[in-house]
Amino acid sequence: MSVEESALRSKISKDGETGDLTDGFHLLIDAFQKNGLNNIYGVPGIPITDFGRLAQAAGMRVLSFRHEQHAGNAAAIAGYLTGKPGLCLTVSAPGFLNGLTALANATTNCFPMILLSGSSEREIVDLQQGDYEEMDQLAIAKPLCKAAYRVLHAEDIGIAVARAIRSAVSGRPGGVYLDLPAKLFGQVMDAEKGHRSLVQVIDPAPRQLPGPDAIERALTVLKDAKRPLIILGKGAAYAQVDDTVKEFVEKSGVPYLPMSMAKGLLPDNHPQSAGAARSLALLKSDVVVMIGARLNWLLSHGKGKGWGEAGSKKFIQVDIDPKEMDSNVEIAAPVVGDIGSCLQAMIDGMGVGWSAPPSDWTTALNEKRDGNLAKMKQRLGSDTKPMDYHTALGALKEIIADRPDAILVNEGANTLDFARSIIDMYKPRKRIDVGTWGIMGIGMGAAVAAAVETNHPVLAVEGDSAFGFSGMEIETICRYNLPVCIVVFNNNGIYRGTDVNPTGGDDVAPTVFVKDIRYDKMMEAFGGIGENATTRDELTEAVTKAMDSGKPTLVNAVIDETSGTESGRIGNLNPQSVVKRS
Ligand code: ADP
Ligand code: TZD
Ligand code: MG
C-alpha cells in the first residue's frame, strides 16, 4: 500500500466505513459488469487510457480501434445484435467528435449504444480558458442522441450508468452520451459505500402492452383488406421475438416485404415473401401493416407514384414510439407497444379460423415474384470477365446459402443495392448495412462487432469507396484474429470507374480512384490473407476458403468498371443542374 493510499484509507475510515477504498475507475467498471456489459470498443488516450487497462484487468474485453467512428459503429451494432447497449470509449474533444457520428447514426437507426468520453475540467471548459482538448462535449452531444448525462462525483456513477442503460434500451432504442470528466476517474471513496451505490437495472426495456381497442381496430382493418401487405423493418429484427413475428405472418397468410436489415427474419425463400415482387406489392396493396419500420425516404414516405393513388391505402402501424404515427401519412390503425406484445395480442385476437387474404392477390404476387426470380436466376449464373455485379454476387449468394449462420455486412452504392436484392438471408439479424442514413463507413466496425458478439463468421461485401472509409480497421481485425472475410468490389471508383474530367486537365474526375488498386496487399501488410479474384471461380474459391478457415482475409474482386449506375438504385435523389455553362 502506498503512503498516499494508507493516509486516504485512514481518513475515510474515520467516517465509520470499512477503510477499503475504491475510485471512479473501478466503480465504472463494476457498474458495467454488474449490468452484464462486458465489451468496450474504443481508442485509448488521455484521460481514459488507464480506464481501458483496468477494465481489461477486471475481465472486460477492451477492443482498441484505429479511429473512434469505427469503434462507435461497432458499439452500435453490438447494441443491435444483443439488445444491450454497446459501449464506445473515446478521449476528449477530437476523439469524442470522431465517435459522435456513430452516436448520431445509432440514434437515427434506433440502435442502443452508450458513448463514454473523457472530458477536461469543467471549471476551465466553462470559462473557455483553453484546457487540453477543451470542449463543451455535453452540449454538443445533446441534440444528436436520446439522452446525455455528465457525472461529477464518484458516488453518482452507479445511478449515471443505470440511467444511461435505461435511456438507451427502453422505448425506442438509441444512443446515449455519458460525459466523464478526467477528475472523476481518480475520485476515491469507501469501497463498501461505493459498492452500495451501484445499481442493477431491473427490466431495462419493459414490455409495453397495446390497448385492446387498438388491437381490435387493427384487426378490423386487416380483416376487410382485399390486398393486404406486411412490411417488416429492422425494429422487428431488433426486438428478438422471431417466433412471434413468424407466427403472425403465417397465421395472417399476408404476403410480406422485408426491409433491408429485416431480411432473414423469415427466410427470403419463404412462400409468403413478396420481396421479388416489391413494386407490384407496394403499388396494388390496399392495407399495409408496418411492423418496426418507418415510412421514411426508404419507403418514399408512404406516398408518391410507387404507392398508387393517394388515399388508396390504409396503414396499420406497430411501433413502440407513439410519435411515429401519422409522421408521413395517416395511420388508420396505430398499434403502440413492443412488437412482441402487439403481435401476440393480434395473433390472439385473430382466434381460430382467420381467413387468408383473397387468393387472386396472393397468386398475382407469387406469379410476379416467381417470374422475376427466374429472370434473375439466369443472370446470376453468368461468368463474365471482368466480373459484373451479377457474376460476383451470384457466387457470394451461393456461399451464404451454404452458411446461413454467417453474418453479411454490406455497404457501397451498386455493391449495396445489388447485394441486397441478390443475396438471400435465412436467419434473423444476419444482415447489417448502411441503415437509415445510407451511411458509408459502417463496414469494418460492424464486422468487428458481429464477429466479437456472435462468434459467427462474417462476410463484408464492400464497394471500393465504402471500404475506404473504415479500411484501416483491417489491422484491428487481424490483431484480434477475427473470422472476417472482406470482399472489396473494385470498380475503380464511386458508382463507376469511367468518369472523365471534362476539361481534359490532369486531375481525374471526382468519382474516380487510382486504377486497379490491389486492396488485398493491405491485408497482407497486417498479416492477414490477401487474394485477388478476377473470375467467378477465383472469387468462389477465395471466399469459401476464408469462410471455412475463419482467418482474416481480404479478397480484391475486380469488377467491370462500366457496370455500375449513378448512385445505384437511388440516382433519382440527385439534384440535376439545368444550366449549361459555355
Ligand atoms: P427499417 O429501416 O428497417 O425500415 P426503421 O429503422 O425505419 O426500420 O424502423 C424501426 C422502427 O422500429 C422504429 O420506428 C422503432 O421505434 C421501432 N422499434 C424498435 N424496437 C422496437 C420494439 N421492441 N417494439 C416496437 N417497435 C420497435
Ligand atoms: N459519405 C458518407 C458518410 N456517406 C455517404 N453515403 C456518402 C459519402 C456518399 N456515397 C454514397 O451514398 S455511396 C458512395 C458514397 C461516397 C460510394 C459508392 O461507391 P462504392 O460502390 O465504390 O462504395 P459502387 O459499387 O462503386 O457503386
Ligand atoms: Mg466502387
Side-chain angles (χ1 to χ4, degrees):
M1 196 186 306
S2 69
V3 179
E4 288 120 314
E5 194 179 341
S6 74
L8 263 170
R9 275 182 195 234
S10 63
K11 182 170 174 289
I12 290 179
S13 61
K14 275 188 200 127
D15 300 335
E17 303 292 346
T18 60
D20 283 341
L21 296 183
T22 188
D23 59 16
F25 288 108
H26 291 90
L27 284 166
L28 264 175
I29 294 163
D30 294 346
F32 291 132
Q33 289 188 317
K34 194 175 175 94
N35 286 287
L37 303 180
N38 294 310
N39 295 334
I40 300 182
Y41 302 89
V43 176
I46 296 171
I48 48 96
T49 315
D50 266 353
F51 176 69
R53 290 193 184 110
L54 291 167
Q56 187 174 55
M60 290 183 81
R61 190 149 192 215
V62 182
L63 295 123
S64 274
F65 280 65
R66 308 299 294 253
H67 188 290
E68 293 86 353
Q69 188 176 128
H70 314 308
N73 287 328
I77 290 307
Y80 172 68
L81 292 174
T82 64
K84 293 183 195 168
L87 301 181
C88 173
L89 178 66
T90 79
V91 302
S92 19
F96 156 77
L97 285 174
N98 285 344
L100 198 55
T101 305
L103 185 70
N105 186 52
T107 307
T108 299
N109 281 282
C110 317
F111 299 155
M113 72 173 275
I114 302 173
L115 177 66
L116 312 159
S117 292
S119 61
S120 42
E121 298 318 330
R122 288 257 35 91
E123 297 81 349
I124 305 179
V125 173
D126 289 350
L127 276 172
Q128 299 177 29
Q129 293 175 310
D131 206 355
Y132 169 72
E133 298 193 345
E134 173 185 299
M135 175 173 275
D136 187 357
Q137 296 169 197
L138 186 70
I140 290 165
K142 248 178 207 166
L144 297 172
C145 58
K146 248 185 107 180
Y149 306 108
R150 173 160 47 228
V151 202
L152 290 176
H153 303 295
E155 62 262 34
D156 293 333
I157 285 174
I159 287 293
V161 168
R163 298 208 72 192
I165 293 172
R166 259 192 208 286
S167 298
V169 298
S170 61
R172 170 180 281 176
V176 174
Y177 176 60
L178 202 53
D179 194 75
L180 307 171
K183 268 189 203 159
L184 175 77
F185 293 96
Q187 278 180 28
V188 175
M189 68 184 288
D190 176 80
E192 181 52 34
K193 236 176 163 176
H195 181 71
R196 285 200 305 268
S197 73
L198 299 181
V199 175
Q200 181 164 5
V201 183
I202 312 291
D203 195 13
R207 292 169 62 202
Q208 297 191 24
L209 304 186
D213 49 335
I215 297 297
E216 206 180 302
R217 193 184 300 117
L219 289 176
T220 305
V221 173
L222 186 59
K223 201 171 209 141
D224 288 346
K226 303 274 178 304
R227 296 178 305 282
L229 175 69
I230 291 171
I231 297 183
L232 298 173
K234 60 180 171 311
Y238 169 78
Q240 300 213 16
V241 288
D242 309 332
D243 291 344
T244 314
V245 172
K246 182 168 185 282
E247 190 183 346
F248 174 74
V249 172
E250 291 182 346
K251 184 162 186 182
S252 71
V254 174
Y256 74 92
L257 288 177
M259 297 300 287
S260 181
M261 284 176 62
K263 276 166 69 74
L265 192 42
L266 280 82
D268 277 333
N269 56 2
H270 190 283
Q272 281 168 257
S273 170
R278 182 185 166 91
S279 306
L280 181 67
L282 292 179
L283 185 69
K284 297 286 185 188
S285 51
D286 64 349
V287 168
V288 181
V289 190
M290 308 289 300
I291 304 176
R294 287 170 286 184
L295 285 166
N296 56 17
W297 70 279
L298 288 158
L299 285 166
S300 323
H301 308 281
K303 50 199 172 193
K305 261 200 338 224
W307 283 94
E309 255 177 62
S312 65
K313 290 188 207 316
K314 285 187 174 165
F315 287 93
I316 300 168
Q317 184 158 26
V318 179
D319 203 287
I320 203 154
D321 187 352
K323 295 194 305 299
E324 188 55 38
M325 307 299 154
D326 305 324
S327 55
N328 285 273
V329 293
E330 180 185 285
I331 302 300
V335 182
V336 175
D338 69 279
I339 286 170
S341 302
C342 293
L343 293 188
Q344 191 57 55
M346 287 175 75
I347 292 167
D348 296 345
M350 285 162 142
V352 278
W354 179 268
S355 44
S359 63
D360 54 344
W361 169 237
T362 48
T363 309
L365 283 180
N366 290 348
E367 280 176 7
K368 184 75 189 170
R369 175 194 65 197
D370 295 342
N372 284 344
L373 287 177
K375 269 186 253 166
M376 176 73 100
K377 195 167 179 193
Q378 268 185 343
R379 290 202 67 187
L380 292 179
S382 65
D383 193 7
T384 56
K385 187 167 179 195
M387 291 183 283
D388 62 14
Y389 287 92
H390 286 88
T391 301
L393 289 167
L396 299 182
K397 176 190 172 93
E398 289 172 20
I399 289 174
I400 289 288
D402 290 342
R403 293 166 188 76
D405 279 319
I407 296 189
L408 179 71
V409 171
N410 187 201
E411 59 177 337
N414 292 278
T415 305
L416 175 88
D417 290 342
F418 282 114
R420 185 176 49 221
S421 56
I422 290 172
I423 300 183
D424 284 340
M425 307 308 299
Y426 304 91
K427 293 193 175 183
R429 295 171 297 283
K430 295 295 187 187
R431 186 184 154 84
I432 299 166
D433 66 28
V434 300
T436 303
W437 267 348
I439 193 171
M440 297 298 114
I442 51 94
M444 298 305 104
V448 170
V452 165
E453 301 289 337
T454 71
N455 288 320
H456 288 303
V458 177
L459 176 63
V461 178
E462 301 271 316
D464 52 344
S465 165
F467 172 69
F469 287 73
S470 66
M472 191 65 194
E473 301 298 346
I474 58 176
E475 190 275 328
T476 310
I477 288 167
C478 289
R479 184 163 15 104
Y480 295 110
N481 194 24
L482 298 174
V484 175
C485 172
I486 301 143
V487 180
V488 176
F489 273 45
N490 189 352
N491 63 346
N492 294 337
I494 299 176
Y495 315 140
R496 295 160 165 271
T498 49
D499 278 7
V500 289
N501 177 344
T503 70
D506 288 341
D507 288 353
V508 296
T511 52
V512 168
F513 297 153
V514 169
K515 297 273 179 201
D516 306 325
I517 294 171
R518 290 286 301 274
Y519 291 97
D520 49 315
K521 303 274 184 199
M522 285 174 68
M523 197 62 163
E524 287 173 0
F526 299 121
I529 294 171
E531 304 267 11
N532 191 45
T534 58
T535 64
R536 182 175 180 133
D537 286 347
E538 284 171 7
L539 182 62
T540 299
E541 195 186 322
V543 178
T544 303
K545 203 167 84 192
M547 296 301 282
D548 292 346
S549 72
K551 290 188 184 144
T553 302
L554 190 152
V555 183
N556 182 60
V558 179
I559 303 290
D560 180 354
E561 64 172 4
T562 67
S563 67
T565 57
E566 178 86 8
S567 300
R569 301 238 174 106
I570 53 172
N572 59 311
L573 299 182
N574 284 308
Q576 303 280 321
S577 169
V578 291
V579 177
K580 287 247 178 315
R581 292 245 174 92
S582 54

